[in-house]
């Protein structure tokens, strides 16, 4: 009888919430300038995105982006969460937020002086997003 009770309690155990809580405890216990924290937050956001939990994904992409921005990071570290935020906002048709972040990303890409083919592709992608937003908002003269 005792073994059946233990098994039924184990089957009801919510592994996802424990993992998520574990990440939160680790995040809260780390110093604010911990170098891997931005990447950990980004990875947690990726997990939530795969689970289609967009609110949590947005939350952790924002935290990752804000941390990198606060630390003065540049390059791929700060661009990755920013691009993901733009993508989610576009999917949610939150064009105002998407456009604001596109402007930030555009400044970043332009500041690198298009030093590589990747930078040129990033610029083209950002400009495409901006054009799509204006098109969706029926601001055709801007698109």
């Amino acid at each position: 009888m005792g073994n059946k009770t233990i098994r039924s309690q184990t089957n009801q155990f919510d592994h996802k919430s424990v993992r998520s809580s574990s990440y939160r405890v680790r995040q809260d216990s780390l110093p604010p300038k911990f170098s891997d924290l931005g990447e950990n937050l980004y990875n947690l956001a990726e997990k939530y995105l795969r689970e289609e939990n967009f609110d949590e994904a947005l939350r952790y992409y924002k935290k990752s982006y804000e941390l990198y921005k606060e630390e003065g990071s540049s390059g791929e570290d700060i661009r990755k969460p920013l691009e993901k935020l733009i993508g989610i906002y576009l999917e949610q048709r939150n064009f105002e937020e998407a456009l604001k972040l596109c402007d930030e990303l555009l400044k970043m890409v332009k500041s690198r002086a298009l030093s590589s083919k990747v930078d040129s592709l990033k610029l083209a992608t950002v400009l495409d997003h901006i054009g799509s937003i204006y098109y969706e908002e029926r601001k055709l003269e801007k698109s």
Side-chain angles (χ1 to χ4, degrees):
M1 180 74 177
N3 286 340
K4 287 183 181 179
T5 305
I6 291 172
R7 268 193 218 118
S8 68
Q9 289 174 348
T10 304
N11 289 339
Q12 295 174 3
F13 190 71
D14 185 5
H15 295 283
K16 287 182 181 179
S17 69
V18 169
R19 256 185 274 140
S20 184
S21 295
S22 168
Y23 273 104
R24 286 188 187 110
V25 168
R26 278 184 41 203
Q27 172 192 341
D28 293 342
S29 65
L30 292 171
K33 301 285 185 185
F34 189 74
S35 62
D36 290 337
L37 183 56
E39 185 176 348
N40 289 338
L41 293 169
Y42 179 84
N43 290 335
L44 186 56
E46 289 283 284
K47 171 198 163 301
Y48 283 121
L49 188 62
R50 283 191 301 278
E51 294 173 356
E52 296 183 7
N53 185 341
F54 300 109
D55 291 335
E56 287 297 303
L58 262 175
R59 180 175 162 216
Y60 285 99
Y61 283 130
K62 281 180 188 177
K63 286 184 177 200
S64 175
Y65 171 66
E66 289 165 1
L67 180 70
Y68 284 132
K69 191 174 180 179
E70 181 182 308
E71 290 179 346
S73 297
S74 62
E76 203 61 27
D77 285 343
I78 197 166
R79 283 200 320 232
K80 286 188 331 184
L82 187 55
E83 289 169 351
K84 293 290 186 157
L85 285 168
I86 291 168
I88 292 173
Y89 284 134
L90 287 172
E91 282 294 315
Q92 294 179 335
R93 302 184 63 77
N94 184 344
F95 299 130
E96 185 178 330
E97 284 299 314
L99 190 57
K100 187 169 31 171
L101 295 178
C102 279
D103 286 339
E104 287 185 42
L105 186 56
L106 187 59
K107 288 175 191 167
M108 276 185 231
V109 172
K110 283 183 172 181
S111 72
R112 290 179 45 101
L114 303 177
S115 60
S116 71
K117 193 174 194 175
V118 172
D119 291 332
S120 297
L121 291 173
K122 295 281 183 198
L123 178 62
T125 302
V126 175
L127 292 173
D128 180 58
H129 287 325
I130 293 170
S132 296
I133 290 168
Y134 285 136
Y135 178 80
E136 289 292 328
E137 291 183 330
R138 302 293 183 237
K139 295 179 181 174
L140 301 179
E141 69 283 350
K142 288 187 174 184
S143 69

